[in-house]
């Protein structure tokens, strides 16, 4: 039997999603709680990796067990009680044994949050950035971004992938409120470090330190060394993972 887990987490305390040799990850923390509650070793596969310090409003993972689970509210409640307060399971539901948390996903949607004012309660959840940013110029850069599919210039140099093509659905900046600027981007897939590097490069554009022509040259160069530095992890959120409708057919 294969089951999907829908969860969210605050990534501040973790060395990313994936199990690490040098630190605590979200994956290993979740596996430990599931294994304890179900009384057998449980190994999970996530829809994708998030880097150290990155958050997820919605993440999915799957795991396999030999016998069907008794899916009750008390089961989820008990597992949540075993988890630290910065990881929360929202649902567990059966899926086809051919459904895969990573490979069945058809889209991912990320947001990056920037605040102009320092906030004592949001410091690990947003990027405090004081310089003035021209949001119109940054949105012009987004239009250029949408005209391309190869984003090698925004991928970490040692990314182990067969290609650097991503099909973007949208990319734009807006103001959540007077002090909070948010970048929205959705695509079928993302490269390692891609969103944070795009944000870091666009901050150069927003400060008029890079022209739109230079931005397009960076895209066409297909060379990570010519792009801007990556924005800090604390402002990045995985907001939504999309799947075909049939994946949720057995969800209560």
């Amino acid at each position: 039997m294969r089951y999907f887990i829908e969860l969210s987490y605050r990534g501040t305390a973790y060395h990313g999603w994936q199990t690490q040799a040098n630190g605590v990850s979200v994956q290993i923390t979740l596996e430990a709680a599931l294994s304890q509650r179900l009384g057998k070793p449980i190994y999970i596969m996530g829809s994708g990796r998030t880097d150290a310090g990155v958050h997820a409003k919605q993440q999915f993972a799957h795991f396999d067990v030999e016998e069907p689970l008794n899916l009750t509210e008390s089961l989820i409640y008990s597992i949540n009680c075993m988890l630290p307060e910065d990881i929360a399971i929202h649902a567990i539901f059966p899926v086809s044994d051919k459904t895969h948390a990573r490979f069945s996903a058809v889209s991912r949607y990320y947001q990056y949050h920037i605040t102009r004012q320092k906030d004592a309660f949001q410091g690990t959840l947003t990027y405090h950035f004081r310089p003035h940013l021209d949001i119109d110029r940054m949105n012009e850069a987004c239009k250029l971004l949408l005209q391309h599919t190869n984003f090698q210039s925004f991928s970490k140099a040692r990314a182990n992938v067969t290609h650097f093509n991503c099909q973007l659905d949208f990319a734009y900046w807006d103001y959540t409120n007077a002090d909070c600027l948010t970048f929205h981007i959705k695509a079928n897939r993302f490269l390692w470090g891609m969103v944070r590097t795009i944000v870091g490069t666009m901050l150069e554009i927003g400060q008029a330190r890079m022209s739109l022509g230079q931005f397009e040259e960076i895209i066409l160069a297909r060379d990570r060394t010519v792009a801007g530095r990556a924005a800090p992890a604390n402002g990045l959120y995985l907001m939504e993972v999309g799947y075909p409708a049939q994946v949720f057919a057995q969800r209560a």
Side-chain angles (χ1 to χ4, degrees), residues 4 23 40 87 110 128 152 156 162 164 185 202 223 246:
F4 257 35
K40 63 193 72 177
I87 301 176
Y110 282 89
H128 176 220
Q152 185 172 355
K156 288 188 178 181
T162 57
F164 297 90
I185 187 166
M202 285 198 175
D223 180 358
Q246 61 265 29

Side-chain angles (χ1 to χ4, degrees), residues 143-207:
K143 293 178 183 177
L144 290 174
L145 200 68
L146 291 169
Q147 295 173 17
H148 297 271
T149 56
N150 187 299
F151 298 104
Q152 185 172 355
S153 291
F154 303 111
S155 173
K156 288 188 178 181
R158 55 192 176 94
N160 183 23
V161 295
T162 57
H163 67 89
F164 297 90
N165 295 326
C166 307
Q167 187 62 54
L168 269 58
D169 293 328
F170 57 71
Y172 65 93
W173 292 85
D174 66 10
Y175 281 101
T176 307
N177 55 54
D179 292 322
C180 185
L181 181 63
T182 302
F183 179 55
H184 306 258
I185 187 166
K186 182 179 180 180
N188 65 326
R189 67 191 288 262
F190 285 92
L191 305 169
W192 190 11
M194 177 176 163
V195 179
R196 290 170 55 201
T197 307
I198 289 174
V199 170
T201 306
M202 285 198 175
L203 292 180
E204 297 292 303
I205 295 169
Q207 297 173 85

Side-chain angles (χ1 to χ4, degrees), residues 35-54:
S35 298
Q36 181 182 351
R37 178 61 181 82
L38 299 179
K40 63 193 72 177
I42 299 294
Y43 304 99
I44 62 175
M45 170 63 68
S47 71
R49 304 173 183 176
T50 52
D51 286 344
V54 175

